Amino acid sequence: MSSHQPDLRFRGLNPTFNFGMKIKSIRTTTICVPLGDKVFHSSQARFPARNSCLVRIETDSGLIGWGEGGQHRPPQPVAACLNHVLGPKILGRDPTEPVRTWEELYSFSRDFGQKGTYIEALSAIDIALWDISGKALGVPVWKLLGGAFRRKIKSYATGYRDAGFDFVKVKIGLLDIRSDAERLRVIRQSLGPDVGIMVDANHGYSAATAIRMGRLMEPYSILFFEEPVVPEDREGNRRVRMENPIPVAGGEAEFTRYGFRDLIGGGCVDVAQPDLTVCGGFTAFTQILALANAHGTIVIPHVWGSGIAFAAALQAIPTIPPIPHTANPIPLQNEPVIEFDRTHNPLRDELLNERFALVDGHVLIPDGPGLGISVNDEVLTRYSS
Ligand SMILES: [Mg+2]
């Protein structure tokens, strides 16, 4: 131990923690996995491939952190931003200062990157730096963020429901509202009263149509109405929330504490859905969580992307307190759940050496250091675009 390094043994900290660690390299990989005949459909668009931008940050001590930025968008702009703008700025920095790094990078790109590609790139860096910080201290990210309120998370199925799911999310918004309401009637009838149903319109309605649809859906006990109108239409979201009987969810296409300040503070949503790979990583997530909590808004992160994005959500969700705090947290009432997309997703199911255990409708929280995952290099190379 050199003379300028504090002797951490006397503080009860990990004596191997390296205070002088620096970021040595940053490498991006864009991924494209054609889905063949298993194309995914939202209510508004067709997704013939799964895309992602992954980032690998290596330190001079050999620690490696993984991050991911963006979700179903083209990954090349995020990679370009990382390779040419934000990436070079973090070389030589201390990787265990993600909050400081976030503020400085955001401040640098504020005039041209308050939303979209720059924040997705920043999300990827932030997730990787928290991964490294956890590995440096030998603890999972959820512990660094303050502790876990739960060690397993109730999951809900998107795409289709198979055995073991108590919740299912159904896409609406492609058909006329009477036909979609009839679909929901049939789905409710076939699932019975005990399965929770949510709907996602992928912002396919005007406010007036969404309000009519909300009233048509009322008999089917829908738990939330996701993205009824375009996310930037704050007044429309607010109207839908005030004038339809179903709680409104949204936020997968929103960015940073500033975007969520307007969404939550503006009374636009009952359920906030930040995506770790979009909103600004763990750093932004903790700020959004505090904002939401102060407004009594439930937080249920949106999850898409690869196994890295899923792993990041698995570190963030345990840290969400029941809102409000209660002796008996109930999923989707005051307890978060995790989206477990049941459609074909090789990026989630093959990229990592670890498998996410689904036990009795719950996903177990990993307790390895950082994100608790490692990437299979052979699979990464196979899917690189
Ligand atoms: Mg959605």
Side-chain angles (χ1 to χ4, degrees), residues 274 276 279-290 299 301 316-317 319-320:
L276 270 289
C279 74
F282 291 108
T283 297
F285 170 80
T286 59
Q287 299 161 348
I288 292 161
L289 180 59
V299 175
I317 295 175
T319 71
I320 301 172

Side-chain angles (χ1 to χ4, degrees), residues 72 169 171 200-202 226-227 252 273 302 339:
H72 32 64
K169 192 163 82 181
K171 297 288 186 185
D200 184 357
N202 295 110
E226 183 171 321
E227 286 200 310
E252 68 179 84
Q273 299 173 299
H302 176 263
E339 182 165 9

